């Protein structure tokens, strides 16, 4: 564990409402963690925002970026077309060791492309970097899912690498002991799964990982495994289905309660319980999840992030740096390659 | 539309608590729909169950089956090993035109195998039968998803057939006008999707169907399309994720309310609203969904079905027969083949 002070670069131009929640998140993080936060973005927009707060004693620096990636930018073009974006600058700070990690709530595909092809590039032996999602499931258990969207039509060996990277992250940054690794599948039995799952399963059995086989969505939400591995197409649909069902159900409950006066009174009485529910399912409590396989800590938060989410994403970056995740992944993949 | 009286065969040995909910469901259906229900199962268990109810004036017949498929039976073995199961007998009644449809809440994989390989067999030109799920989404809108588990590693042409079968079912049995067909994908844009989605998309564009492109889980739950087409592996994970998230969230809400006295009182006041929520997300309100592509109407319900679910599954079978779904699929696939 590294305990020295660190510098975390934050994309001020990331979130949908940037730079407002991004800057406030930086302040909350500087206050809570005591680390230096490098706020990267258009200084004409960042500095006025920053001046609204009392930042005395906080380690905050503004680094100007003349350009910014938007949510509408095409990932395939933005790497080349905006070399001075806050994402490029932030990731290059990590590359040059002037920052320990980079955090953004911006365009995920763009972050992936800029990291992989234009700045940090891949850790040696990594075939494909993966996007992950860290979610809290039943009983407060935390799991990491990957790949959730970077790679469609994955090959079995890529899934093995996702498993290794996820397992290392779970252990080093999430503090899970001997994390259980599982393949997201349409059934627990070994006969279940598609061709990709069958082949990846055989390969995973041959590793030293704590591979527990196939897992179905229900058991995933019960926390029966810690690292949930899938192809990016399947993982993306799974995570989006989780989110969509969660909000649809909460919306339906709100609608039905509102349409009924007595229920409205009841819901007022139950509001503390509902608040606890929301807190448990709130993705902003986690804040962000790593882009795994690129040669530097990159944490990606949701576009809709609020200040708390940004702060928690910075916290996630801090744990990844403390856990020396990049070096561990590098070693882990070297061991596999040997 | 066929309006003559029909005979619907019901597997009395299907549900997890069989024959109790199955028999009661048959009675509810005979009463509500006025059709003849052929109750198929071990008469030593079915008749005593039936005698608990006043069935005067209802068109109910018991047909003995000396064997039954269990949830533990291997689909690959049960077709041959239990030729006198209630599933075999029920499907053969449909094949010999002594029943118009067959309904079971039993082992889905076994029903698929027995229908496809041992009794009804495929409709001409069908490459692969598909399992479907009919769910109610926002604003009471009904959608049909397929394939949800019969075929992993689907080929693009299979997906086109799933789309045609789903569209015909939506139109003829669910009463949806000019149903919108979409491919479940990781993004709405045409560039999103895996290889299978890209290829299926090209083929679907060339048909006369109302194909609206890719759909994400959120838009699916908002009812933006009526027929959601996917590979069986992906569809199975999507439907199981929906179910798992729904129950996990409701469980969490219950837990948090219970742990708080004031909230418990509040929830009592709100209970009518919660009941309406539960009714809207309750799969038993739909009851069952068709096995599409086999040469006869087969409706499969959930193993945990209660009597209401069985009754609704029989209602689903009735709509499929009235809508002449099998003949329409046969015509639809012939047109495609021409």
């Amino acid at each position: 564990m590294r305990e020295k002070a660190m510098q975390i670069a934050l994309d001020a131009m990331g979130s949908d409402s940037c730079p407002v929640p991004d800057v406030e998140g930086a302040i909350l993080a500087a206050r809570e963690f005591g680390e230096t936060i490098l706020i990267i973005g258009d200084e004409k927009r960042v500095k006025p925002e920053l001046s609204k707060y009392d930042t005395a004693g906080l380690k905050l620096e503004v680094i100007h970026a003349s350009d910014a990636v938007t949510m509408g930018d095409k990932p395939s073009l933005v790497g080349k077309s905006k070399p001075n974006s806050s994402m490029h600058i932030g990731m290059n700070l990590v590359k040059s060791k002037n920052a320990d990690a980079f955090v953004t709530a911006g365009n995920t595909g763009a972050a992936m492309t800029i990291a992989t092809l234009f700045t940090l590039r891949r850790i040696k032996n990594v075939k494909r970097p993966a996007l992950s999602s860290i979610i809290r499931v039943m009983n407060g258990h935390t799991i990491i899912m990957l790949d959730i969207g970077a790679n469609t039509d994955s090959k079995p060996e890529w899934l093995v690498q996702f498993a290794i990277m996820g397992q290392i992250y779970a252990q080093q940054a999430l503090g899970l002991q001997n994390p259980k690794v599982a393949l997201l599948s349409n059934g627990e039995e070994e006969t279940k799964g598609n061709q990709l799952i069958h082949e990846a399963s055989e390969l995973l059995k041959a590793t030293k990982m704590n591979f527990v086989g196939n897992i179905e969505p229900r058991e995933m939400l019960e926390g029966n495994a810690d690292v949930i591995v899938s192809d990016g197409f399947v993982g993306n649909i799974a995570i989006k289905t989780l989110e969509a069902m969660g909000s649809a159900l909460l919306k339906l409950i709100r609608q039905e309660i509102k349409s009924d006066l007595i229920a409205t009174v009841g819901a007022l009485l139950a509001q503390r319980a509902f608040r606890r529910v929301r807190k448990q399912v709130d993705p902003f409590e986690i804040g962000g999840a790593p882009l795994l396989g690129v040669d530097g800590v990159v944490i990606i938060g949701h576009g809709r992030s609020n200040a708390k989410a940004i702060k928690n994403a910075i916290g996630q970056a801090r744990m990844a740096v403390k856990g020396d995740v990049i070096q561990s992944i590098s070693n882990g993949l070297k061991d596999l390659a040997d």
Side-chain angles (χ1 to χ4, degrees), chain A residues 26-338:
Chain A
I27 295 166
L28 295 176
R31 196 172 291 145
E32 181 166 329
F33 308 127
E35 314 288 4
T36 303
I37 313 295
L38 310 173
I39 308 175
I40 304 160
D42 178 357
E43 61 185 8
K44 283 206 210 74
R45 294 178 62 195
V46 171
K47 284 189 172 166
E49 195 54 41
L50 203 52
S51 70
K52 294 180 187 162
Y53 301 87
D54 173 15
T55 56
L58 300 181
K59 292 183 268 180
L60 294 164
E61 282 178 37
V62 176
I63 295 177
H64 180 64
S66 58
D67 214 341
V69 171
T70 66
M71 288 296 176
D73 278 333
K74 285 221 158 144
S76 54
L77 300 177
V78 80
K80 267 218 165 99
S81 66
K82 293 187 171 177
N84 296 313
S85 80
S86 49
M87 280 194 192
H88 284 83
I89 293 176
M91 292 186 195
N92 275 325
L93 285 171
V94 177
K95 190 176 186 184
S96 63
K97 312 278 179 208
N98 288 302
D100 297 282
F102 177 65
V103 174
T104 178
N107 186 324
T108 305
M112 182 79 188
T113 309
I114 296 171
T116 310
L117 303 176
F118 293 88
T119 57
L120 296 165
R121 304 192 185 259
R122 285 172 290 167
I123 296 172
K124 201 182 162 200
N125 295 314
V126 166
K127 292 182 198 294
R128 289 288 189 287
L131 284 169
S132 70
S133 180
I134 299 172
I135 60 174
R136 203 167 289 160
V137 294
M138 298 307 279
N139 310 315
H141 192 88
T142 298
I143 65 171
I144 180 166
M145 295 172 72
L146 77 169
D147 176 28
I148 61 143
N151 309 281
T152 55
D153 298 300
S154 296
K155 297 192 190 308
E157 313 85 69
W158 304 357
L159 262 58
V160 174
Q161 290 202 340
F162 301 163
I164 291 174
M165 297 192 293
Q167 180 232 27
I168 288 169
Y169 196 89
Q171 200 167 291
Q172 308 286 99
L174 304 178
L176 300 172
Q177 297 297 315
N178 193 23
K180 289 184 203 154
V181 175
L183 287 166
L184 183 60
S185 187
N186 60 336
E188 311 251 304
E189 309 88 323
E190 240 184 276
T191 54
K192 290 297 178 105
N194 55 14
Q195 195 60 31
L196 174 65
I197 296 294
H198 293 155
E199 291 177 26
S201 183
E202 287 308 311
L203 295 175
L204 283 164
K205 277 188 232 159
T207 68
K208 287 178 212 143
M209 269 181 282
N210 187 6
F211 173 58
V212 297
N214 291 342
I215 197 164
E216 290 193 62
R218 181 175 305 271
E219 286 68 33
M220 175 179 91
L221 291 188
E222 279 165 7
N224 290 9
D226 307 294
V227 180
I228 312 295
V229 177
S230 64
D231 162 67
F233 180 77
V234 171
N236 190 273
I237 287 180
I239 196 91
K240 283 181 176 161
T241 304
L242 278 180
E243 289 170 0
M245 183 63 189
S247 22
L249 190 51
L250 289 177
K251 188 174 162 192
L252 180 62
I253 292 173
R254 260 195 310 273
Q255 269 178 8
E256 288 301 337
I257 284 175
K258 267 195 188 163
S259 75
D260 178 333
L261 187 64
I262 300 177
T264 306
V265 175
L268 277 172
L269 293 176
Q271 70 181 343
R272 278 192 316 183
F274 279 114
R275 211 173 289 143
R276 287 193 302 270
V277 169
R278 267 200 304 274
K279 197 174 153 76
Q280 279 176 78
V281 298
D282 181 4
F284 298 163
E285 289 288 325
I286 305 273
L291 177 53
L292 287 170
V294 296
D295 199 7
V297 173
V298 176
I299 302 290
I300 301 181
H302 203 291
R304 289 197 300 267
S305 286
N306 57 19
K308 180 186 73 181
I310 299 285
K311 187 260 288 176
N312 288 334
I314 294 172
Q316 194 63 243
R318 187 167 172 258
M319 295 312 294
V321 175
K322 281 202 179 210
D324 216 355
V325 162
I326 303 299
Q327 190 56 49
S328 302
I329 289 179
S330 173
N331 296 343
L333 292 178
K334 205 164 126 273
D335 290 351
L336 185 78
D338 286 348

